[in-house]
Amino acid sequence: MLNRIDLRGSTEDPRRLLPRAAIDVSVATEQVRPTVEAVREHGAAAIREASLRFDKVDVKQLRVPKEEIERAEAELEPAVRAALLESIARARKVHEDQRRTDTTTVLAEGGTVTQRWLPVGRVGLYVPGGLAVYPSSVVMNVVPAQAAGVASIAVTSPPQKDTGLPNANILAACALLGVDEVYAVGGSQAIAMLGYGFTDEEPGCEPVDMITGPGNIWVTAAKRMLRGTVGIDAEAGPTEIAILADESADPRHVAADLISQAEHDPLAASVLVTTSTELAAAVDAEVARQVAATKHVERVTEALSGPQSATVLVDDVEQGLRVVDAYGAEHLEIQTRDPRAVAERVRNAGAIFVGAWSPVSLGDYCAGSNHVLPTGGCARHQSGLSTQTFLRGVQLIEYSYDALQEVAAHVVALSTAEDLPAHGAAVKVRFDA
């Protein structure tokens, strides 16, 4: 089922040869532009029109009533409640440990620079609700924002056709996290709503300072449009998994993990990088067997047989490391001998899952790590969502008379070298008699 790419003996740049989903966000941006601009100009009325046109849902009230959120929590299945509470607890422990502390550096007596870390004031968190619904994404977005100290959090998720509300498990997750500002809005209109707000309906929506959370290409395109008006976490593409494995890997585990990501979306990418032709053949056989027994057969089959998925043969683990670094996977599993040593040599990945007992599915729900991660090779220059995402570094510079006088000549010299004499004069005037 998986395509086969043989890189053994190759000296070419792996980035030219590796599979990748073809996504053109620039084209999608032009397609969502009218919707985003309509929301900016017409607020709630445009949001309703877009929801009816794209989601086929006539939303009665954009902001979900508090009693509906409370009802969803009250009716939550006990096993799901327990799982969400465990997920929240583990994520909170990890993300609170990520909180940075302020530091003060003394450059001279009376001259200091203090690095403060201040939370974003208000954030909007997008939770997908299309082919699948993701209460786990509520956890992954809300927990780090709360750990950072964000004071105002709004969650938005697409309305379901049968209720006109976001999925009940998503609402319940919001309740468990203490979030009561939730909107039944999805797609590009949701991103525009968060970025521009609306006041033509009560209760309105205040614009946010930052938008985070994964979504489809229309959500990504709208986030690109609003970048600068608000901060964004990333332009998320289809999910992806890469597995670096040698002959010691269990083909059942490898096949199951490739399939687990493929069930997200027909464009999801599942890539096996292996030193073993025997493992590759065994994985192919396991994939065929396990796919036949899985629920979303058509979706999984399309993803695994698409151009974005493949088995990549390499000479050895050294070449395998070069290949996975070039790929920069959202999720990377290491299923080799001494997997921790191999994992510590990886440079580019959103998250690295070490050994046979750390599958990506664990990270999706209950590892304590965050599952909102860079896709499309962006892990080569970008981090996943964390407490740091919601913090801004602000410097406090405080110098006394003596400390400024000590460095004044250097400031004047550099301002003269850059032909900006007024910069130097702003220092010299402080010491004129």
Side-chain angles (χ1 to χ4, degrees), residues 20 61 119 150 176 195 213-214 232 235 238 253 273 325 336 395 399 421:
R20 189 76 78 183
Q61 190 169 339
V150 174
L176 292 174
I232 67 170
E235 294 185 5
H253 298 172
V273 180
D325 273 342
T336 63
Q395 294 182 337
Y399 272 57

Side-chain angles (χ1 to χ4, degrees), residues 230-277:
V230 296
I232 67 170
D233 53 344
E235 294 185 5
T239 191
E240 58 200 23
I241 180 175
I243 302 176
L244 176 58
D246 60 18
E247 67 278 4
S248 68
D250 187 325
R252 297 171 303 158
H253 298 172
V254 174
D257 294 350
L258 294 171
I259 291 168
S260 72
Q261 290 306 111
E263 77 174 338
H264 276 288
D265 189 291
L267 291 175
S270 294
V271 177
L272 169 62
V273 180
T274 183
T275 60
S276 171
T277 55

Side-chain angles (χ1 to χ4, degrees), residues 11 41 49 54 58 79 121 131 229 234-235 237 284 309 379 399-400 428:
T11 58
E41 297 297 325
E49 189 279 329
F54 298 125
D58 185 6
L131 287 176
T229 300
E235 294 185 5
D284 281 345
S309 298
Y399 272 57
S400 66
K428 288 191 291 184

Side-chain angles (χ1 to χ4, degrees), residues 118-257:
L118 303 177
V120 174
R122 174 168 164 80
V123 300
L125 311 177
Y126 187 87
V127 180
L131 287 176
V133 293
Y134 297 98
S136 58
S137 282
V138 180
V139 178
M140 299 298 169
N141 281 271
V142 171
V143 168
Q146 290 177 334
V150 174
S152 178
I153 297 174
V155 170
T156 189
S157 190
Q160 305 299 298
K161 290 182 179 179
D162 55 342
T163 64
L165 299 168
N167 172 265
N169 286 343
I170 288 174
L171 293 179
C174 289
L176 292 174
L177 287 158
V179 175
D180 61 10
E181 185 181 351
V182 185
Y183 297 88
V185 185
S188 60
Q189 62 269 27
I191 302 303
M193 175 193 72
L194 293 172
Y196 297 122
F198 65 82
T199 57
D200 57 321
E201 178 180 295
E202 291 294 335
C205 175
E206 291 294 321
V208 302
D209 301 307
M210 184 176 195
I211 299 172
T212 71
N216 62 21
I217 191 170
W218 314 115
V219 169
T220 298
K223 286 168 77 174
R224 176 179 287 189
M225 277 193 66
L226 267 74
R227 182 194 292 266
T229 300
V230 296
I232 67 170
D233 53 344
E235 294 185 5
T239 191
E240 58 200 23
I241 180 175
I243 302 176
L244 176 58
D246 60 18
E247 67 278 4
S248 68
D250 187 325
R252 297 171 303 158
H253 298 172
V254 174
D257 294 350

Side-chain angles (χ1 to χ4, degrees), residues 364-432:
D364 283 341
Y365 299 115
C366 286
S369 57
N370 204 292
H371 77 202
V372 182
L373 300 165
T375 60
C378 291
R380 289 182 288 111
H381 55 77
Q382 189 172 317
S383 303
L385 202 70
S386 70
T387 304
Q388 268 53 264
T389 304
F390 301 97
L391 294 171
R392 298 160 297 127
V394 178
Q395 294 182 337
L396 275 63
I397 299 92
E398 186 175 10
Y399 272 57
S400 66
Y401 177 98
D402 289 340
L404 177 60
Q405 187 177 51
E406 181 182 333
V407 78
H410 297 308
V411 174
V412 172
L414 289 171
S415 69
T416 301
E418 294 186 352
D419 194 25
L420 297 172
H423 283 60
V427 170
K428 288 191 291 184
V429 70
R430 286 165 163 76
F431 302 104
D432 289 346

Side-chain angles (χ1 to χ4, degrees), residues 26-40 188 192 196 218 221-222 224-226:
S26 60
V27 172
T29 300
E30 293 309 307
Q31 292 175 326
V32 303
R33 187 178 300 278
T35 299
V36 171
E37 292 180 347
V39 172
R40 182 185 61 194
S188 60
Y196 297 122
W218 314 115
R224 176 179 287 189
M225 277 193 66
L226 267 74

